[in-house]
Amino acid sequence: MLNLVLFGPPGAGKGTQSQKLVDKYQLVHLSTGDIFRDNIKGGTELGTLARSYMDKGELVPDEVTIKMLEAEVAKNENAVGFIFDGFPRTIPQAEALDRLMTKLNTSITLMIELIVPEEELTKRLILRGKDSGRPDDSNPDVNGNRIAVYHKQTAVAANHYNSQGKYHKVEGVGDIETIFHSLCKVMDGYAMV
Ligand code: AMP
C-alpha cells in the first residue's frame, strides 16, 4: 500500500491536489473536513457536534475525529492506499493513525506538506468562501482562527513524521499543474508496494 498524509494549512490546496493524486495513483481520498460536512448535510448527531467546533474554526475533539476516521478506513478494505487530507491535525491523531495502520499490516509511507505563505492563504480562503458555500471560509475571524489553530496545534504533527524520516515539503504556490508535478516527483520516489 501507499499511504500519503497530505499536510498544510487551510487553503494550501490539499483538496485540489488530492483529486489529481487520486486519479493518478488510484488511492482512496479521506478528507475529515469533507466527512464532517457530509454529516452536517445529513443532519447526523456527529454533524451537529462537529459544526459547533467548525463554525468557530476550532478542532473537533480527537476522540470523535479518530473514531470517525477509523470507521471510514474500515469501509475501504480493498484500497491500494489512502490519501489522508486534513488528518492528522494533532499528535494524538498521528499516533492513532500509526496504530491503525499497524493493525492493517501497513504504515504511513510519507507526509508531504504544501508550503504556502499566510497572506496567500487568507486571499485563497476569502475567494473560496465566495463560491464554496462553506461558512468557515466566508468569515475572516474564523479563517484567522483556523490558521492560528494550525500553527498552535497542528504544525507539530509534521515533527512526528520528520522523526520517522517520512517528511517532505513541496512549494504550494504557482499553477496547479506545476504543484502537481512536484508532488508526483516525491510520490514516484516511493515504490508502490
Ligand atoms: P478542512 O476542510 O480540512 O479545512 O476542515 C474544516 C474543519 O473541520 C476544521 O476547521 C475543523 O473544525 C474540522 N476538522 C477537519 N479535520 C479535522 C481533524 N483531523 N481534527 C479536528 N478537526 C477537524
Side-chain angles (χ1 to χ4, degrees), residues 48-84:
T48 308
L49 176 82
R51 186 171 195 159
S52 63
Y53 294 92
M54 292 167 82
D55 282 351
K56 292 181 282 192
E58 300 288 343
L59 295 184
V60 179
D62 281 341
E63 206 187 291
V64 175
T65 307
I66 291 166
K67 210 170 125 200
M68 177 186 84
L69 193 274
E70 285 175 351
E72 291 298 321
V73 168
K75 285 182 197 164
N76 290 283
E77 58 179 30
N78 295 322
V80 296
F82 291 94
I83 300 178
F84 297 101

Side-chain angles (χ1 to χ4, degrees), residues 13-30:
K14 301 188 294 295
T16 305
Q17 294 296 335
S18 288
Q19 287 315 320
K20 298 180 71 64
L21 290 166
V22 163
D23 289 346
K24 178 158 180 184
Y25 296 97
Q26 270 84 53
L27 305 171
V28 172
H29 175 220
L30 293 183

Side-chain angles (χ1 to χ4, degrees), residues 8-11 14 31-37 50-62 65-66 68-69 85-90 93 125 128 134 136-137 142 146 149 154:
K14 301 188 294 295
S31 154
T32 40
D34 285 350
I35 304 166
F36 284 135
R37 281 184 287 278
R51 186 171 195 159
S52 63
Y53 294 92
M54 292 167 82
D55 282 351
K56 292 181 282 192
E58 300 288 343
L59 295 184
V60 179
D62 281 341
T65 307
I66 291 166
M68 177 186 84
L69 193 274
D85 163 3
F87 185 96
R89 264 174 152 102
T90 63
Q93 290 183 15
L125 288 173
R128 190 167 78 181
R134 282 180 57 171
D136 56 345
D137 283 344
V142 174
R146 287 162 71 197
V149 164
T154 301

Side-chain angles (χ1 to χ4, degrees), residues 103-192:
K103 241 200 270 174
L104 300 175
N105 289 319
T106 183
S107 60
I108 292 299
T109 313
L110 75 162
M111 166 188 263
I112 308 179
E113 177 173 5
L114 285 169
I115 306 287
V116 178
E118 197 154 322
E119 271 173 35
E120 173 73 16
L121 293 175
T122 312
K123 254 194 278 172
R124 286 187 190 178
L125 288 173
I126 291 167
L127 267 180
R128 190 167 78 181
K130 287 193 179 134
D131 47 34
S132 72
R134 282 180 57 171
D136 56 345
D137 283 344
S138 313
N139 182 325
D141 291 338
V142 174
N143 282 342
N145 195 36
R146 287 162 71 197
I147 295 172
V149 164
Y150 177 79
H151 289 304
K152 226 179 357 189
Q153 292 174 262
T154 301
V156 287
N159 300 342
H160 179 86
Y161 296 95
N162 201 12
S163 68
Q164 297 178 6
K166 294 177 177 174
Y167 174 82
H168 301 263
K169 60 184 172 188
V170 159
E171 181 70 54
V173 183
D175 68 274
I176 291 173
E177 287 305 323
T178 307
I179 299 166
F180 180 59
H181 183 72
S182 306
L183 287 171
C184 292
K185 251 169 71 187
V186 178
M187 292 286 281
D188 292 340
Y190 287 83
M192 298 285 276

